[in-house]
Amino acid sequence: MATWTPTTYNPDDFANRRHIGPSPAEMEAMLKVVGADTLDTLIEQTVPASIRQEKPLDWPALSEAALLGRMREVASRNRVMTSLIGQGYYGTVTPPAIQRNILENPAWYTAYTPYQPEIAQGRLEALLNYQTMVADLTGLPVANASLLDEATAAAEAMAMAQRVAKSKSKAFFVSDNLHPQTISVIETRAEPLGIEIIRGTECDPKAVFGAIFQYPGTFGEVRDYTAECAALHAAGAVAIFATDLLALCVLKEPGAMGADIAVGSAQRFGVPMGYGGPHAGFMACRDEMKRAMPGRIVGVSIDAKGNKAYRLSLQTREQHIRREKATSNVCTAQALLAVMASFYAVFHGPVGLRAIAQRVHLNAVTLANALREAGAEVQPDAFFDTITVRVGVGQQGIMAAARHRGINLRKVGRDRVGISVDETTDAGVIARVLDAFGITHEASAATAPAIPETLIRDSDYLTHPVFHMNRAESEMMRYMRRLSDRDLALDRAMIPLGSCTMKLNAAAEMMPITWPEFGALHPFAPEDQAAGYHEVFADLSAKLCEITGYDAFSLQPNSGAQGEYAGLLTIAAYHKSRGEDRDICLIPVSAHGTNPASAQMCGMKVVVVKSAPNGDIDLEDFAAHAAKAGDRLAAVMITYPSTHGVFEDTVREVCDIAHKYGGQVYIDGANMNALVGLVKPGEIGGDVSHLNLHKTFAIPHGGGGPGMGPIGVRSHLAPFLPADPRTGDIGAVSAAPWGSASILLISWAYCLMMGGEGLTQATRVAILNANYIASRLAGAYPVLFMGNRGRVAHECILDMRPFQAHGVTVDDIAKRLIDNGFHAPTMSWPVAGTLMVEPTESETKAEIDRLITAFEAIRAEITEVAEGRISAEASPLRHAPHTVEDLVADWDREYSREQGCFPPGAFRVDKYWPPVGRVDNAYGDRNLICTCPPLESYAEAAE
């Protein structure tokens, strides 16, 4: 007879049953391979006891169902109003086909930055569509694949203008017509670079190296800047426009006025406001300036067979190569949001976009006419979607009346209100606005525009066939599916990128971001309408403080690079408040590539510190440099555990030396996945850290963005955290007060479902998984930089340099992994000729074993080359990756089709086939094509 046997299995245990990959039994088997009796023993051997935190993280975990219930409660505390505030943020309609097939699709949101182009052709095509869209609408020939937001793009444009201007002036003109948050971020960027900001309405072109104008202006004005552009050019200065893509569907484009650079936000192309982000910033420029442009640029190249292939072009400009000489520290674009905006343009096409823009404009004219007919003073005469109404002492009453009717207006000065209509505005909204002004009769629909004929656009845009597809939803769905099928993301396979922490992005964590209670809020709405968001901010900040040992957090930085920059600005402001002139920043040679670039942007002088032979910071060299800097030492930037993947025993000594000379310690949070629950950076000597929420805290990478990089600080630095961009005070680093607020929900949900104990276990298993890989592969590949007790942290570096003697490169091995169905680990960083592997805690033992099988098979192929049985040139390593075209073509190679196309580790039924062969990087840089090329050029490339 059967007996009732209670089970200890808890299906609602999210951390151990959903997020952490290996089962308890699998962990036991892995520990035997590693040579540790228990997981506790392994952690003791890996993490120095001297830095371990004493108190465990102990808040309870929620199940997925309980989490979603809690999220519903919090969402209900937000009040969704119709926001006509404008100021760069607008209501928009996300086509459901884009929401379901892009934003909510892990094939798109779990992908990584397309540094391995062969397995990123889908998102590269979508980003090329984005660049083409931006270039066409701005009337400038080259655009990048997005920046962080409009304000950041404007600040980048200022720095770019200084690099390319013929004028030797140190001053930059900022029009008072710019959005206030953009002015704030520009002024923050300018101060440490020694750029003088001149504000006003009229620009003296001879006094500046560049000028930026808002078109249409923040208060709605539309005017022709052709004369200003010509005057700036005559003085050797650069003309920059902050502009609006939807407005440019009906307005004369900046390029036609003589603009050199155009920037803005693609938010209103189908991307929800989300209380501030994430949104794709854009930048376009004249052709001769393209090599000075920051950010990523997608270009067209060819593969090994001469077929068209996309890739990231001009990568030698990027910060991980140029370091302190980099043009910027941008390491996160907003790729997923740029993809959404590009599909919005494909979905609607030029005719649809023009129709939306015309409807928005005529609704604004309808509103302006009705107000004028009632005797109101409405400005300006020429506008696109924004007007201001002079209401005198009735300002507060009008705004309150509008709020009573569910509408937010913009406070302008002391006696005006601003109104910006958008794609979601209809006759009902117009009627409610008029009712708030005491106008009850129905407004007559306008038919004539309020745009001067000279400013109505007469040039074509979006002429490429991709923007003229049949817009039946069936065809759109298939196009999105075709592109996603060309990519390899986390929904297909493990992405073992060292330092990039490609872990599970759980569905329950992602769901709330598309709820209207979170997505439809304007970032400048009254805070009492966002009580739910502020509950999230407060609790997430408190948990991050507990995790890190810091006293305060700023959630504003909207990328890891922004977090670094904000952290160093905070340090600089602290020194300045004490009357100290400190400008030297010590950075180990192994530091993240953005570190030196961030320090340079903050006006600091970078001094590089050597590494010891075992990969640790050379303590003697560090101490010597710190002593030499003396009272000029501003900061030291270290990564812990080190970028080499080990816990350095000397971290407290490094911090003590820095503090001895009055410097502040910046601990890069890129490797927090090895620390959470075990080590608090604020307790081992750190003064400030940024956290990559898109790594350790489960925000998905989104093909190279979104990201968030909030900074934690000790109490003495808290007064110097980033300023609120709405105030216009210097110190803001992003356009919105809480950065990309909507995706903070993901990290909060992650912390709530994992609980303190689950977060700690995730760290422990991440360390186990990395040591398992290192132990299994140590006989096949040299493992660099083991810790003092023979352990790695959460990642390990495999040395491929010995194989160069046989003609086998690290690139060959990376491309061969594609044939095995894997994204290559981080390549040639932090050490050239190596692969840095990070499995994360989310990968199962079976998937890790599949990766190990792939590496072992590749090692066998290297041995064949080394022993002279086949040359490197003839081997499958050099021909990788293999495509379906290779499989079906005539086969005259020295290895079999089976070996080439179905190596060990590859799935047979569900095999991923790269759509192109190895991409020719040099061809793409020599023949730089950054917009959708005409179809006939594809045929020419193939020939």
Side-chain angles (χ1 to χ4, degrees):
M1 181 181 293
T3 58
W4 178 271
T5 306
T7 178
T8 58
Y9 183 95
N10 177 8
D12 293 326
D13 182 351
F14 173 80
N16 293 300
R17 303 302 175 194
R18 298 288 178 268
H19 183 83
I20 293 172
S23 69
E26 288 172 336
M27 285 186 220
E28 283 188 30
M30 296 164 79
L31 284 164
K32 287 179 182 175
V33 172
V34 168
D37 295 336
T38 65
L39 191 51
D40 286 338
T41 301
L42 175 63
I43 298 307
E44 288 167 8
Q45 293 171 355
T46 305
V47 185
S50 61
I51 62 169
R52 290 281 299 275
Q53 67 190 61
E54 294 180 5
K55 184 183 177 185
L57 305 176
D58 60 359
W59 66 83
L62 298 180
S63 68
E64 289 181 315
L67 178 277
L68 291 172
R70 176 83 184 275
M71 282 289 192
R72 284 291 181 195
E73 284 178 30
V74 171
S76 71
R77 289 194 264 282
N78 290 333
R79 186 180 173 201
V80 180
M81 306 268 276
T82 299
S83 278
L84 304 182
I85 298 169
Q87 205 170 318
Y89 299 94
Y90 307 91
T92 184
V93 177
T94 307
I98 293 176
Q99 177 173 321
R100 175 63 59 88
N101 294 294
I102 303 295
L103 181 57
E104 297 175 352
N105 184 348
W108 288 97
Y109 67 69
T110 69
Y112 181 62
T113 306
Y115 284 132
Q116 295 287 345
E118 296 84 359
I119 53 177
Q121 290 296 296
R123 84 199 90 113
L124 284 166
E125 179 170 323
L127 291 171
L128 192 76
N129 292 344
Y130 174 84
Q131 290 178 180
T132 303
M133 171 189 87
V134 170
D136 280 10
L137 290 173
T138 59
L140 291 163
V142 181
N144 66 19
S146 81
L147 291 168
L148 299 172
D149 57 28
E150 179 170 340
T152 306
E156 294 282 1
M158 172 186 68
M160 176 179 166
Q162 188 177 38
R163 291 193 297 273
V164 300
K166 294 175 183 174
S167 168
K168 300 304 179 188
S169 169
K170 294 290 185 183
F172 182 71
F173 176 79
V174 175
S175 169
D176 285 339
N177 219 3
L178 237 62
H179 295 318
Q181 72 272 18
T182 304
I183 296 173
S184 182
V185 173
I186 286 175
E187 290 185 332
T188 299
R189 182 72 63 91
E191 185 183 48
L193 298 178
I195 296 172
E196 177 192 356
I197 296 297
I198 299 175
R199 296 269 304 273
T201 55
E202 299 294 330
C203 171
D204 176 3
K206 295 179 181 177
V208 297
F209 65 80
I212 186 167
F213 310 100
Q214 191 92 42
Y215 172 76
T218 190
F219 304 119
E221 181 188 33
V222 170
R223 51 170 290 219
D224 196 323
Y225 287 96
T226 302
E228 284 85 347
C229 291
L232 286 163
H233 293 157
V238 175
I240 305 169
F241 282 47
T243 189
D244 180 322
L245 294 179
L246 190 63
L248 296 182
C249 293
V250 294
L251 291 180
K252 184 177 182 179
E253 64 275 29
M257 296 185 203
D260 300 298
I261 304 171
V263 297
S265 168
Q267 177 267 315
R268 67 191 311 178
F269 274 28
V271 181
M273 288 184 285
Y275 206 45
H279 308 133
F282 67 81
M283 176 184 283
C285 70
R286 291 192 325 199
D287 188 71
E288 58 267 34
M289 296 180 175
K290 63 192 175 193
R291 293 179 189 272
M293 178 185 276
R296 295 178 175 134
I297 300 176
V298 176
V300 181
S301 188
I302 58 174
D303 74 357
K305 285 187 166 56
N307 296 320
K308 171 179 63 76
Y310 305 115
R311 62 181 285 271
L312 290 181
S313 295
L314 305 179
Q315 289 186 43
T316 52
R317 304 165 315 126
E318 294 209 20
Q319 77 289 328
H320 63 280
I321 295 170
R322 290 180 56 82
R323 296 172 69 81
E324 68 272 14
K325 296 182 177 65
T327 54
S328 81
N329 74 336
V330 175
C331 70
T332 306
Q334 295 288 16
L336 181 66
L337 298 312
V339 167
M340 284 183 68
S342 78
F343 275 114
Y344 181 91
V346 171
F347 185 90
H348 288 295
V351 175
L353 292 180
R354 185 179 287 110
I356 294 168
Q358 288 180 346
R359 186 176 72 218
V360 167
H361 176 62
L362 290 178
N363 277 335
V365 177
T366 297
L367 185 59
N369 289 346
L371 288 164
R372 286 186 177 120
E373 287 168 9
E377 182 185 340
V378 179
Q379 296 173 322
D381 293 329
F383 56 87
F384 169 62
D385 62 0
T386 298
I387 57 175
T388 59
V389 188
R390 192 173 299 279
V391 293
V393 295
Q395 183 191 60
Q396 289 301 108
I398 294 286
M399 293 185 68
R403 282 196 296 274
H404 181 68
R405 290 158 179 79
I407 289 173
N408 289 322
L409 304 178
R410 178 182 177 187
K411 182 180 180 181
V412 178
R414 295 182 177 180
D415 62 353
R416 289 183 293 158
V417 295
I419 309 170
S420 295
V421 306
D422 56 46
E423 183 186 4
T424 67
T425 304
D426 57 18
V429 171
I430 292 172
R432 282 189 284 149
V433 172
L434 293 174
D435 193 42
F437 282 87
I439 302 169
T440 55
H441 62 268
E442 187 176 346
S444 301
T447 56
I451 302 170
E453 283 189 17
T454 56
L455 285 179
I456 294 177
R457 183 164 190 153
D458 61 5
S459 59
D460 291 333
Y461 49 87
L462 305 188
T463 58
H464 190 273
V466 74
F467 300 107
H468 294 265
M469 292 172 58
N470 184 320
R471 266 171 277 283
E473 184 169 327
S474 56
E475 188 60 30
M476 290 299 305
M477 176 178 64
R478 289 167 190 153
Y479 180 53
M480 290 184 262
R481 174 62 187 264
R482 283 198 302 273
L483 293 196
S484 67
D485 279 350
R486 295 175 194 168
D487 283 9
L488 190 144
L490 269 178
D491 65 326
R492 284 186 188 266
M494 175 185 189
I495 302 181
L497 286 151
S499 182
C500 293
T501 316
M502 301 290 291
K503 63 165 64 177
L504 171 71
N505 313 117
E509 295 157 1
M510 301 296 296
M511 287 170 65
I513 67 170
T514 54
W515 296 351
E517 296 92 336
F518 292 120
L521 265 67
H522 193 290
F524 303 149
E527 287 191 16
D528 62 1
Q529 295 174 18
Y533 260 120
H534 287 275
E535 181 179 339
V536 173
F537 300 157
D539 194 56
L540 177 61
S541 294
K543 284 181 166 55
L544 294 180
C545 283
E546 185 176 345
I547 288 165
T548 60
Y550 288 118
D551 301 306
F553 260 83
S554 167
L555 301 175
Q556 189 180 123
N558 53 3
S559 81
Q562 287 285 74
E564 286 178 19
Y565 174 61
L568 292 178
L569 284 178
T570 299
I571 288 172
Y574 166 74
H575 290 315
K576 186 176 180 181
S577 75
R578 293 159 57 89
E580 297 178 352
D581 184 19
R582 294 174 175 268
D583 62 349
I584 290 177
C585 183
L586 302 186
I587 304 180
V589 70
S590 62
H592 274 80
T594 48
N595 288 179
S598 296
Q600 179 269 329
M601 284 169 56
C602 291
M604 295 182 185
K605 294 178 174 61
V606 174
V607 175
V608 178
V609 177
K610 297 176 186 175
S611 285
N614 68 349
D616 292 0
I617 295 171
D618 185 321
L619 206 59
E620 188 176 324
D621 191 55
F622 181 85
H625 281 304
K628 184 178 179 182
D631 59 9
R632 288 182 58 198
L633 181 62
V636 304
M637 299 184 79
I638 61 174
T639 301
Y640 200 78
S642 78
T643 305
H644 291 143
V646 295
F647 286 92
E648 298 179 40
D649 291 328
T650 57
V651 63
R652 284 190 185 273
E653 292 175 69
V654 168
C655 296
D656 289 344
I657 292 168
H659 291 146
K660 173 183 175 183
Y661 295 102
Q664 297 290 288
V665 178
Y666 173 92
I667 298 181
D668 191 308
N671 291 342
M672 273 300 294
N673 215 49
L675 298 182
V676 175
L678 302 179
V679 180
K680 298 185 178 186
E683 290 183 353
I684 61 173
D687 296 294
V688 55
S689 294
H690 88 269
L691 302 182
N692 293 101
L693 299 189
H694 49 288
K695 295 182 181 181
T696 307
F697 293 91
I699 291 175
H701 279 66
M708 280 293 277
I711 56 172
V713 296
R714 299 289 299 277
S715 58
H716 64 283
L717 294 179
F720 309 101
L721 287 169
D724 189 329
R726 297 171 297 184
T727 65
D729 295 336
I730 193 167
V733 296
S734 301
W738 297 278
S740 296
S742 67
I743 57 175
L744 291 171
L745 300 167
I746 301 167
S747 295
W748 189 55
Y750 171 70
C751 290
L752 290 179
M753 285 199 295
M754 295 294 283
E757 187 178 326
L759 288 177
T760 306
Q761 181 69 350
T763 305
R764 287 151 47 94
V765 176
I767 292 171
L768 168 62
N769 286 354
N771 278 280
Y772 177 69
I773 289 175
S775 298
R776 288 282 309 273
L777 291 179
Y781 301 90
V783 179
L784 295 184
F785 310 127
M786 306 288 277
N788 290 341
R789 300 182 69 178
R791 301 299 187 193
V792 298
H794 63 311
E795 58 195 9
C796 61
I797 298 178
L798 304 179
D799 193 356
M800 307 295 156
R801 293 173 296 181
F803 312 132
Q804 292 173 5
H806 310 296
V808 177
T809 69
V810 67
D811 211 45
D812 294 333
I813 297 164
K815 303 310 179 189
R816 188 61 171 140
L817 280 166
I818 295 172
D819 287 328
N820 290 270
F822 287 104
H823 192 299
T826 302
M827 190 171 71
S828 289
W829 187 86
V831 180
T834 65
L835 292 175
M836 184 161 64
V837 186
E838 181 181 352
T840 83
E841 71 279 6
S842 297
E843 295 302 338
T844 63
K845 180 176 181 293
E847 184 72 350
I848 294 171
D849 285 340
R850 189 169 75 87
L851 177 70
I852 291 167
T853 298
F855 265 117
E856 289 173 339
I858 290 170
R859 183 65 180 87
E861 291 178 344
I862 296 170
T863 299
E864 286 194 331
V865 173
E867 294 178 353
R869 283 177 273 162
I870 191 171
S871 68
E873 291 73 20
S875 73
L877 294 157
R878 186 58 47 82
H879 286 97
H882 295 75
T883 65
V884 170
E885 190 176 345
D886 289 317
L887 179 69
V888 301
D890 292 337
W891 193 269
D892 58 358
R893 299 182 182 176
E894 296 181 28
Y895 54 92
S896 68
R897 291 181 203 263
E898 174 85 9
Q899 182 183 352
C901 298
F902 293 99
F907 294 120
R908 297 186 75 85
V909 174
D910 299 312
K911 178 178 165 60
Y912 169 76
W913 291 97
V916 298
R918 195 174 305 195
V919 175
D920 188 332
N921 292 330
Y923 179 96
D925 280 348
R926 285 195 311 270
N927 305 277
L928 195 60
I929 302 170
C930 305
T931 56
C932 296
L935 294 180
E936 56 269 20
S937 71
Y938 299 161
E940 290 167 9
E943 291 166 10

